[in-house]
Amino acid sequence: MVCATSYALVNALLRDRRFGREMPTELQQPCPTHLQPFYDVEAHSMLELEPPRHTRLRRLVTRAFTSRHIAAMEGDIAALCHGLINQFPEGPFDLLDAYARPLPVTVIARLLGVPEDMGPQLVKWSNAMVSIYMAGRGRADEDTAVAATKEFVAFMRGYVDARRSDPRQDLITRLIAAEEDGETLTTDELITTCILLLNAGHEATVHTIGNGVKAMLDHGATGHEVGVVEEILRHDPPLHMFTRYAYEDVEVAGHLFKRGDQVGLLLGSAGGDEAICPNPEVFDPRRTDPAHLAFGAGLHFCVGAPLARLELQIALPILFDRCPTLKLAESTQYADIYHFHGLKRLMVTQ
């Protein structure tokens, strides 16, 4: 696949409306029957859609991600971080399991209004569904992903039905209200949107916390540096590539794309571009406003970016304040996953 690697080119293509996420209609192939339940859900994902459907769905979801809604979660996130740290075991333990995974899934559960004790099951469904995008997947992976999709959809449909008769102060209720106010959001779109918020919001934040803590331990950062969160996202982003389809014959940077050609946009490479970041291989949390594209750009810019940033800005300082002697208990290895980028585990002692 042809790939864009520089910050300028990746940024430009993310914003170029001659390229998009949806495959041109004439190039689409019939979906294998056994995968149909999964792609029935994906068909309503704003991550995979272009205007006008994307515009409508994003407008509705952003109502739940206003600065007021996000700021109101600050105290709960801090309390959750302290609660998780209180449960850290003695001796070596995996910080991904003890901190990085439960934090974002609990926040998303609270946002949606589903029981927090469903967290482990939500993560299990999320991991199974995301595996469909991994390179080298087999039929067993596909069957697991489809089974998880069916269970997740049934669970969310039950909560949507419950909220129709018993409204609460949560995202599901707000999306239902938008639907009933005359917007063209369907129940299937609502369910897919809730699943997307968990899958996208959880996986990326887990990897960012893991990658970030590793970098901070390696370089003696404390979490209080002004640029530490943005430097983590620049230096070791949780997602290294997004793809786009060309919607017309077009020449970009000397390469001629035909309609339907794909281009890989290397988000990780963009953050390591010397043209916008001196000594990009160096992790330096004291950088002022380090440029990166970890959240994308253009109309598909991550809708959950404000919440993800808030979680990181709260979770990292609290962790290093509470655990000032935290250190690695073993060398780290990155997991063999595509297109996410994160650690297999993060064994530490305090």
Side-chain angles (χ1 to χ4, degrees), residues 10-338:
V10 172
N11 186 41
L13 286 169
L14 284 168
R15 301 171 187 275
D16 194 330
R17 299 309 304 135
R18 297 173 297 179
F19 294 81
R21 288 288 297 165
E22 287 187 83
M23 180 186 292
T25 306
E26 71 274 13
L27 298 178
Q28 295 177 12
Q29 300 294 319
C31 175
T33 302
H34 72 286
L35 292 178
Q36 194 63 54
F38 177 87
Y39 286 105
D40 284 345
V41 171
E42 286 289 282
H44 303 297
S45 171
M46 64 179 175
L47 186 65
E48 307 296 339
L49 297 174
E50 293 297 313
R53 287 190 66 198
H54 173 273
T55 305
R56 184 185 73 251
L57 287 171
R58 188 179 178 96
R59 183 175 65 247
L60 292 168
V61 174
T62 52
R63 295 179 183 177
F65 284 94
T66 65
S67 57
R68 178 173 60 85
H69 284 128
I70 299 303
M73 302 185 74
E74 183 172 349
D76 282 347
I77 294 173
L80 177 58
C81 291
H82 284 291
L84 291 170
I85 292 170
N86 290 341
Q87 299 175 45
F88 283 178
E90 297 291 334
F93 65 98
D94 186 353
L95 193 74
L96 298 184
D97 284 338
Y99 198 63
R101 290 192 175 102
L103 173 61
V105 73
T106 304
V107 171
I108 292 292
R110 291 177 179 179
L111 183 69
L112 292 175
V114 301
E116 293 178 25
D117 60 10
M118 281 293 296
Q121 182 60 66
L122 296 175
V123 171
K124 184 178 179 180
W125 284 331
S126 177
N127 290 340
M129 292 183 70
V130 169
S131 70
I132 207 82
Y133 299 110
M134 303 303 179
R137 75 182 194 222
R139 177 59 186 262
D141 301 311
E142 295 176 344
D143 290 343
T144 300
V146 168
T149 301
K150 291 178 178 178
E151 293 173 9
F152 206 162
V153 168
F155 172 77
M156 289 309 307
R157 194 176 299 278
Y159 261 83
V160 170
D161 291 342
R163 287 296 175 266
R164 291 190 191 280
S165 57
D166 182 20
R168 304 284 181 87
Q169 295 298 315
D170 55 38
L171 174 60
I172 295 176
T173 299
R174 288 194 290 272
L175 290 176
I176 291 172
E179 174 191 19
E180 293 174 346
D181 284 344
E183 297 279 3
T184 53
L185 180 70
T186 67
T187 299
D188 286 341
E189 288 173 335
L190 192 159
I191 291 170
T192 294
T193 297
C194 292
I195 291 175
L196 171 65
L197 290 174
L198 174 72
N199 290 356
H202 174 260
E203 294 286 335
T205 306
V206 170
H207 295 316
T208 304
I209 294 173
N211 297 353
V213 170
K214 172 188 177 296
M216 293 168 69
L217 290 173
D218 285 343
H219 296 86
T222 67
H224 290 282
E225 297 85 356
V226 174
V228 67
V229 169
E230 301 307 313
E231 178 67 353
I232 289 167
L233 290 164
R234 181 203 69 80
H235 181 259
D236 210 6
L239 186 70
H240 267 200
M241 184 174 80
F242 257 123
T243 57
R244 294 288 188 270
Y245 291 98
Y247 287 158
E248 58 185 74
D249 295 352
V250 56
E251 184 175 334
V252 177
H255 182 83
L256 180 61
F257 291 93
K258 296 292 186 181
R259 176 174 165 82
D261 285 351
Q262 272 191 295
V263 57
L265 309 180
L266 301 190
L267 309 180
S269 177
D273 187 346
E274 290 185 349
I276 54 94
C277 181
N279 302 315
E281 71 283 356
V282 175
F283 176 79
D284 182 2
R286 289 163 292 278
R287 291 185 196 270
T288 56
D289 194 26
H292 64 81
L293 295 168
F295 291 119
L299 64 84
H300 283 288
F301 181 81
C302 177
V303 71
L307 179 58
R309 281 189 164 111
L310 182 66
E311 289 176 342
L312 294 163
Q313 289 162 359
I314 294 172
L316 294 174
I318 288 177
L319 175 65
F320 282 85
D321 285 347
R322 290 284 308 275
C323 306
T325 59
L326 194 72
K327 61 182 179 180
L328 295 176
E330 65 179 31
S331 60
T332 55
Q333 284 187 310
Y334 286 93
D336 184 13
I337 51 177
Y338 162 90

